[in-house]
Amino acid sequence: MTHQQPILDTSPKVSDEVRKTTCYMCACRCGINVHMKDGKVAYIEGNRDHPVNKGVLCAKGSAGIMQVNAPSRLRAPLKRVGPRGSGEFEEISWDEALELAVSWLKPIREDNPEKLAFFTGRDQSQSFTSFWAQNFGTCNYAAHGGFCSVNMAAGGIYTMGGAFWEFGQPDWDHTKLFMLFGVAEDHDSNPIKIGIGKIKARGARVIGVNPIRSGYNAVADDWVGITPGTDGLFILSMIHVLMKAGKIDLDYLSRYTNAPVLIDASEGATKGLFLRDEDGKPLVIDRVTGELTAFDKPGVRPDLSATYEKDGVTHRPVFHLMAERYLSDEYAPENVADQCGIPAQRIRAIAGELARVAFDEAFELDHEWTDFRGEKHTKMIGRPVAIHSMRGVSAHANGFQTCRALHVLQILLGTVEVPGGFRFKPPYPKPVEAHPKPHCKVTPNSPLDGPHLGFVQGPDDLALKADGSPARIDKAFTWENPMSSHGLMHMVISNAHAGDPYKIDTLFMYMANMSWNSTMNTKGVMEMLTDKDENGDYVIPRIIYSDAYSSEMVAYADLILPDTTYLERHDCISLLDRPICEAEAAADAIRWPVIEPDRDVRGFQSVLIDLANRMGLPGFTNEDGSAKWTDYADYIVNHERKPGIGPLAGFRGENGDKEGRGEVNPDQLNRYIENGGFYVAHIPQGADYYKPWNTAYQDWAVDMGIYDSPQPYLFQLYSEPMRKFQLAAEGHGERQPPDHLRARIKETLDPMPIWYETDQTGNEGFTVNALTQRPMAMYHSWGTQNAWLRQLHGRNPLYVPTKLMREHGLQDGDWAKVTSPHGEITVPVMEMAALNDNTVWTWNAIGKRKGAWALQEDAPEATKGFLLNHLIHELLPAKGDGLRWANSDPITGQAAWFDLKVKLEKAAPPSDAESQPEFAPIKSPVGQGPKDLAWKVGK
Amino acid sequence: MTQLPTSTERKMGLVIDLDTCVGCHACVISCKGWNTENYGAPLSDQDAYGANPSGTFLNRVHSYEVQPAEGHAQLIHFPKSCLHCEDAPCVTVCPTGASYKRVEDGIVLVNESDCIGCGLCAWSCPYGARELDQAEGVMKKCTLCVDRIYNENLPEVDRVPSCVRTCPAGARHFGDLGDPDSDVSKLVADRGGMDLMPEMGTKPVNKYLPPRPKDTVEDQIDILAPLLAPVAEEPKGFLGWLDKTLEKL
Amino acid sequence: MHPAPSVIIFTTLSGLGFGLLVFLGLGFPAVSGWIAFVFFAIAYALAVGGLMASTFHLGHPERAWKAFTQWKTSWLSREGWCAVLALIFMGLYALGLVFLDQKWSLLGLIGALFSLATVFTTSMIYTQLKTIPRWNMNLTPVMFLSFSLAGGALLAGQTSVAIPLLLIAALVQILYWRKGDQAFASSGTDLGTATGLGARGSVRAFEPPHTGTNYLLREFVYVVGRKHAEKLRIISFVLAFVLPVLLLVLPFNHVFALLAVASHLAGVATSRWLFFAQAEHVVGLYYGKR
Ligand SMILES: Nc1nc2c(c(=O)[nH]1)N[C@H]1C(S)=C(S)[C@@H](COP(=O)(O)OP(=O)(O)OC[C@H]3O[C@@H](n4cnc5c(=O)[nH]c(N)nc54)[C@H](O)[C@@H]3O)O[C@H]1N2
Ligand SMILES: Nc1nc2c(c(=O)[nH]1)N[C@H]1C(S)=C(S)[C@@H](COP(=O)(O)OP(=O)(O)OC[C@H]3O[C@@H](n4cnc5c(=O)[nH]c(N)nc54)[C@H](O)[C@@H]3O)O[C@H]1N2
Ligand code: SF4
Ligand code: SF4
Ligand code: SF4
Ligand code: SF4
Ligand code: SF4
Ligand SMILES: [Mo]
């Protein structure tokens, strides 16, 4: 018998139709091609034309089909019938649900709108939800940024008018050295992977700074297994080495940064502020004329070195202050090595490599451009060093300053907004001054006086009531955390429960699993949500929640507004909040119902419009009292923020041929759908780098509606707003901090980056760092309901470094009791060698509450999986004076998840072999999933 | 049928770059999605929402720690699917002829309608590349997306395996490893592509590109140290240097 | 390897059954009529029962006939053919003995050869697998054949042959265990060659690809504690060889003979359980398990 083989059809039909929309399995927002068969979703792949993912797709994205079909999807509005936390509900009609909500909300609005706290989690429609909250009139609105990454957003924006996070990216095509600080996955999931792939293909170097060597750090050519919380010191030490060696880009510093700006040295209320002219422009000495002059005067060449004498006082430029500080031996590698856990030699070598690549491998692009001082340049100088960072820096209480230090390092090397360096994505760059300031003036039956969130520029902008008490329930923009640009969602429940600063009536939340993985002190929060006062009423009287799935949080709400899944609704990923831009293009996108829901659910944004219409909220109502919009799709197309500027920038104007600015186009959504669900406006060559100072870019941005007028500015190596808070703490000005916070403000709000050890109160005896990382294939809690993904990560061991395994006599599969000053968990351990010697970690949000997510109660997520959140408290242990400070960055209020210190002990396996603590199961409002799956749509 | 063809016209296969794979599992799920909906029976899952979920996957990503004699331990993510071996033992053991290797491209496939689910091919595969689907009772394995790579209903750029198309890091390459001039063959030559368990004599077509040397930045200290020679020891001296340097700018 | 009852029953019973057929085919004992019927019935029950058991683990038993197609390359296919041919030849031979009182010796001889070949092909299914070093040894077929012959002799009541055959089988068993215990280590396959990373340092499996289990782990990764295995080895050795030989050297007694057979059967089954349970598939390396 010879070889034979069957005849195969190698060209089977792939699908009936491809519908292009935007992924929502995480916040990266990739473009997807949804293949349909028989009207059902058959297969999802990446959209090759899409600016974000260029065809690739992550595991979550490909598993979208299992999400859309998950048994955990909520089916209809729910009204709580059992006690809070029990999971006992009855299904009600939408009319009943909406009327119930209105009956709670309307009186609040008429009486005191601040009694509504509306917090929206990882919301992709913040410009819309904030618009709703503003029109409702409450000051208590924010999304999740405060517990997520406000340190990175604020650190970036205050320093350079743009941030890492999702607002900037390395110049992947040119960079030759990529340095990554504290990132496991990030929001830019696919772009970072595509970028690392490009760098690797080029044979260029990747350096990973991370206590844990997995994922991106595993492929890094060099791994720096730093001691958590010490990045700032490591960075400042590299700054020390580079400055000392003169390996800094003086030309760049003099032109584009406030290094040459003169600092007022006279004693008094202006000490440490910029010298300014009558127009308020910061002053520099012009190197050409030697004259004191406004920084932006045409032709000026600011001098980095010259000082200015007046009235016997020498006013020095920022750069002098920097030299004084960073050349100090305090930052010499030898003096930081032990604390950072990095040998001095290694710190020098990395600094040397940064210098070598930035200066010896510099290159030029023949792109002509003109800067804001009118000078023409024939070339763009590339410095191919790119840095990126995220929550490993962010989620420490010194993260804001560390983030600033990192930006200062980039700026000293001249690698921001240059070829090969770090680049902003529109709508960034944007100076702090171009951002709104926070607003908090509440008036019954009226809208709030302006946007809730923003960027304070000094004590005057804090959100304080007349008596100096916090205006907001989360105490954002107060002396405790003056620059809390994203609010403090992680403090809402505990503050509302404590009635500090005041009591609220209704807590309204949207897609945040606040009784479980997105909260600190999980058990305590569950108790706060169920706690009753002496009358037997809940301390937080009413809770409305919108989720799409049967999450842990559902059980704690009184009224559930069930959302659609991402393939069943309209969404708008807008330039007005967090768009999908790339460094070389502005871009936005939509989602649209590629399938219709098979349940009685509604898109949350449309529900908000319905509520607004029922209450007649001003921004939603025409003068004749009629509703402006029937649903979210209607809003997306027809809402205008300013004349000609709406949620979507593409296909504007009557014929759909205008971009950025233009009249409403009723056909806009169809045009987006035809275009693959997104719109891209490319930045012309010559406008593509040096954006903060590039007239061509500035003009383009004005045309696009990103700014109303050009906004060139300097990078803020020295932050004047921070100095203003320090001045207040020193006793200057009307608004004064409470005495117990003065010292901390003086110390931490230093206008030039510093490193300080985070508050170690109560940590005696707790010496091991405990961290979490995001698994690339799971999205927080919601990956678990996905039958494919949960097989990858169905439980999470505690990874323990070899040294600690030996010290504690532990072996894989043993159990350990892990204690923090706040709590205790008992969990299975596993050894990891490629890990900082004094750090343990686990995957984030794999552990689940029994009964949630339509899983069986004995699911490994609920029996073996666990949360580190039980060990983290929202407040630090009491100080000597009995005060408990927030476990947050003292500047921004960023939740300090990664400051956690623990103690490890070998433990006997719990009697039921389940991770501890255990909680009673919640009743599933949707039942449980089927046993077996053999999924095939097309037969 | 279960005889191996004496030679194949091409040797289509994957080249997996261990220096670049970040272990994201995108290839795993994309493969599951495509192969559930396409060639043969769907890849089923048992106890999908219960205590012991377990399903059929054609591609799985392991991870290993390597402790070199000196220096830090390294972690390496390691995707693994069928290697489409030239001397595929899984084919010759098959009693029914369900397993076969295609003459035109060397792809090893299972003809599901002939498979009795005896499992022997999986026993004979050193790489764990075959899984018996519990719902269908037939052997499943990587098809090298034979229903994509020639599929005229797909645009030409998309005629690559699903896992290759989706890999965000670009760590998976597809091509003819029998042609020394193909991109994949050149990559293998340049990067020292290797076989898994060569001692098994299976002659895998798929190759793995080893990770590049790690933690070498300090080795360059001789080159880097001169770059870092101080221009001054004190802030004062530094400002002097600054003045001089600015003159030259 | 997962010690699936179906394969243990199959190899144990069919080994004995075909062993008995070998002796019957060669004319030991020289039986005819209803006595022959009983002997053949026992042999067929064991052989066919074993074969039937082997189909239990198939995903599609109804397609089992397809397994006959690949005799050129597949030992499983060859086993199928040998078994069928052995049963046919022996069937005809038995027909003659039982009903016609005819002894067609040539048929018996051919049947005996195919019976032996069946046992050999069965063993080759395991022996051929490079992936399981403990099986991939010359001793594997020797063991299967020696067990089969010893058991066959025992069942056939050929005490004088059975004793030496049992002793030989016992020796083979010991050698098999000794060599088998080193097989994996001396195969040259380890996590280093499995990943190609061995030259870089010592390789350790870190995270498995899935936190749950899968077909491969269920099928190939079975861990028997060393102590437990040693105990079972002793039990199996005593039952399979020591006791039967002792019983045989005692003056003949039907009860003893029956006991010897039962003990041998239990011992071989235990040995077979260990044969599977202790066999480490190289795939386990990828999962950090063996
Ligand atoms: N797949 C997936 N993608 C996601 C998410 C998800 O759940 N799953 N979540 C999204 C969200 S909301 C966010 S905020 C982003 C966050 O994305 P990441 O910023 O990647 O967040 P983490 O996974 O928390 O990773 C933090 C990293 O910092 C390291 N680290 C901790 N402390 C330190 C330190 O002191 N110094 C240094 N150098 N490193 C440190 C940790 O080891 C870890 O690798 O990811 C988003 N993308
Ligand atoms: N220990 C530790 N804890 C952490 C972190 C950490 O690193 N370590 N990271 C923190 C950070 S940065 C973040 S951002 C948080 C994230 O925590 P969460 O914001 O709570 O994130 P998810 O678990 O994704 O939950 C969001 C909720 O949204 C619901 N949802 C999903 N899709 C939809 C939809 O389409 N519509 C609606 N209405 N709801 C939907 C989900 O069902 C889920 O209940 O966790 C924080 N918690
Ligand atoms: S990174 Fe993955 S989950 Fe997130 S949007 Fe992109 S494809 Fe979807
Ligand atoms: S998709 Fe690519 S990077 Fe991700 S695990 Fe697979 S091979 Fe590795
Ligand atoms: S990898 Fe395994 S299944 Fe694939 S051809 Fe080789 S032996 Fe066969
Ligand atoms: S399981 Fe199917 S493909 Fe594998 S050897 Fe048996 S019949 Fe052949
Ligand atoms: S080639 Fe196709 S079948 Fe094979 S692993 Fe990749 S996606 Fe799966
Ligand atoms: Mo986040």
Side-chain angles (χ1 to χ4, degrees), chain A residues 455-747:
Chain A
F455 288 78
V456 297
Q457 291 173 41
D460 294 345
D461 301 331
L462 292 179
L464 301 175
K465 292 191 168 175
D467 62 1
S469 68
R472 292 173 52 103
I473 185 73
D474 58 359
K475 305 192 192 177
F477 312 110
T478 65
W479 295 105
E480 284 183 31
N481 26 249
M483 296 162 78
S484 41
S485 306
H486 288 175
L488 283 80
M489 187 159 177
H490 55 297
M491 299 304 293
V492 173
I493 292 173
S494 50
N495 290 356
H497 174 258
D500 171 19
Y502 46 78
K503 290 213 172 288
I504 58 163
D505 181 88
T506 297
L507 178 60
F508 186 3
M509 292 210 170
Y510 164 57
M511 60 176 305
N513 205 2
M514 293 301 289
S515 69
W516 197 246
N517 55 290
S518 53
T519 201
M520 293 176 165
N521 180 20
T522 305
K523 183 158 169 275
V525 166
M526 291 191 276
E527 282 158 11
M528 293 175 203
L529 291 170
T530 49
D531 195 18
K532 292 189 175 163
D533 62 16
E534 55 282 5
N535 304 326
D537 299 326
Y538 285 116
V539 174
I540 300 176
R542 295 192 181 98
I543 302 177
I544 309 177
Y545 180 49
S546 167
D547 202 312
Y549 307 100
S550 174
S551 69
E552 284 87 353
M553 184 61 202
V554 166
Y556 289 87
D558 308 318
L559 173 64
I560 299 292
L561 305 173
D563 204 348
T564 46
T565 72
Y566 73 115
L567 296 183
E568 298 166 325
R569 63 171 176 248
H570 280 103
D571 259 327
C572 169
I573 298 122
S574 166
L575 277 171
L576 301 179
D577 46 71
R578 291 163 65 181
I580 55 160
C581 303
E582 291 289 290
E584 57 274 336
D588 58 14
I590 61 160
R591 286 187 198 92
W592 56 285
V594 301
I595 47 172
E596 288 300 326
D598 56 359
R599 316 166 305 290
D600 193 14
V601 297
R602 292 185 187 172
F604 177 65
Q605 290 78 7
S606 291
V607 168
L608 279 185
I609 289 175
D610 195 332
L611 286 173
N613 293 345
R614 285 171 198 248
M615 290 187 282
L617 294 191
F620 292 74
T621 313
N622 293 314
E623 275 173 23
D624 64 4
S626 62
K628 282 191 179 171
W629 310 293
T630 51
D631 61 13
Y632 194 40
D634 191 3
Y635 165 90
I636 293 172
V637 173
N638 293 306
H639 171 63
E640 288 181 286
R641 266 301 138 99
K642 293 175 195 161
I645 296 184
L648 290 172
F651 308 110
R652 298 196 70 83
E654 273 160 35
N655 306 317
D657 53 3
K658 296 190 177 155
E659 64 180 15
R661 295 173 190 267
E663 312 76 57
V664 164
N665 169 12
D667 197 37
Q668 196 178 27
L669 289 177
N670 287 329
R671 296 294 299 275
Y672 268 78
I673 292 170
E674 285 160 22
N675 197 48
F678 65 93
Y679 184 81
V680 180
H682 287 279
I683 300 173
Q685 201 188 74
D688 47 353
Y689 293 93
Y690 296 95
K691 291 180 206 127
W693 321 290
N694 187 330
T695 44
Y697 174 78
Q698 300 276 326
D699 291 344
W700 178 85
V702 171
D703 286 347
M704 275 299 294
I706 292 171
Y707 324 129
D708 286 335
S709 61
Q711 305 274 342
Y713 63 93
L714 299 177
F715 283 167
Q716 305 292 301
L717 297 169
Y718 185 100
S719 168
E720 204 184 34
M722 297 179 74
R723 178 60 199 150
K724 289 185 182 157
F725 286 107
Q726 269 188 332
L727 279 170
E730 287 163 13
H732 300 286
E734 297 236 317
R735 273 192 163 173
Q736 285 290 304
D739 285 338
H740 73 275
L741 291 171
R742 277 183 201 278
R744 187 172 88 168
I745 290 170
K746 265 191 268 185
E747 188 210 335

Side-chain angles (χ1 to χ4, degrees), chain C:
Chain C
M1 299 292 293
H2 171 65
S6 61
V7 276
I8 295 169
I9 296 171
F10 155 57
T11 59
T12 310
L13 297 187
S14 75
L16 268 181
F18 283 109
L20 176 55
L21 285 179
V22 171
F23 283 92
L24 291 174
L26 296 177
F28 304 101
V31 282
S32 62
W34 71 269
I35 301 186
F37 180 82
V38 172
F39 268 104
F40 279 102
I42 292 172
Y44 268 73
L46 291 170
V48 177
L51 287 176
M52 298 278 286
S54 76
T55 61
F56 289 164
H57 82 282
L58 294 184
H60 280 277
E62 80 284 3
R63 298 180 192 154
W65 62 271
K66 295 196 184 203
F68 289 98
T69 58
Q70 306 304 312
W71 53 274
K72 269 189 137 180
T73 47
S74 166
W75 285 106
L76 181 54
S77 197
R78 290 171 190 159
E79 180 206 42
W81 278 110
C82 288
V84 168
L85 289 171
L87 294 175
I88 290 174
F89 282 108
M90 291 305 284
L92 290 174
Y93 175 66
L95 219 66
L97 284 179
V98 175
F99 298 109
L100 306 173
D101 204 12
Q102 292 282 333
K103 187 171 173 194
W104 296 318
S105 297
L106 186 64
L107 278 184
L109 189 65
I110 297 174
L113 280 177
F114 274 117
S115 297
L116 215 52
T118 306
V119 177
F120 176 70
T121 48
T122 304
S123 73
M124 283 310 289
I125 295 173
Y126 304 106
T127 308
Q128 67 175 335
L129 295 171
K130 281 198 188 152
T131 49
I132 303 165
R134 197 185 274 278
W135 292 352
N136 188 224
M137 304 191 298
N138 297 338
L139 274 176
T140 306
V142 177
M143 180 176 73
F144 271 71
L145 287 169
S146 65
F147 278 34
S148 173
L149 289 174
L154 191 60
L155 276 182
Q158 306 300 303
T159 314
S160 54
V161 202
I163 294 176
L165 281 175
L166 280 169
L167 291 175
I168 292 173
L171 185 68
V172 171
Q173 173 72 92
I174 288 171
L175 289 178
Y176 178 83
W177 279 337
R178 278 179 107 192
K179 203 169 159 209
D181 286 347
Q182 271 117 51
F184 206 105
S186 57
S187 73
T189 296
D190 56 22
L191 191 48
T193 68
T195 57
L197 299 170
R200 309 169 68 88
S202 62
V203 188
R204 193 177 80 92
F206 179 56
E207 277 210 311
H210 290 63
T211 51
T213 184
N214 65 20
Y215 166 75
L216 300 167
L217 289 168
R218 281 191 304 264
E219 188 80 353
F220 301 136
V221 179
Y222 189 87
V223 185
V224 209
R226 230 192 47 174
K227 286 238 176 73
H228 185 54
E230 263 158 28
K231 241 186 265 161
L232 285 175
R233 278 185 181 181
I234 294 171
I235 293 172
S236 107
F237 194 80
V238 168
L239 288 177
F241 311 115
V242 180
L243 256 178
V245 171
L246 284 178
L247 289 166
L248 289 185
V249 292
L250 291 176
F252 182 81
N253 172 317
H254 278 287
V255 179
F256 287 175
L258 207 65
L259 270 180
V261 169
S263 165
H264 178 72
L265 188 67
V268 172
T270 312
S271 163
R272 275 300 136 76
W273 187 89
L274 283 165
F275 175 78
F276 287 98
Q278 285 203 295
E280 305 108 326
H281 194 290
V282 293
V283 138
L285 290 170
Y286 286 109
Y287 288 86
K289 297 170 178 157
R290 281 183 15 195

Side-chain angles (χ1 to χ4, degrees), chain B residues 90 93-99 110 114-122 130 132 139:
Chain B
C90 56
V93 297
C94 176
T96 63
S99 270
V110 173
D114 276 352
C115 174
I116 56 173
C118 67
L120 202 53
C121 51
R130 291 177 165 241
L132 190 75
M139 193 52 73

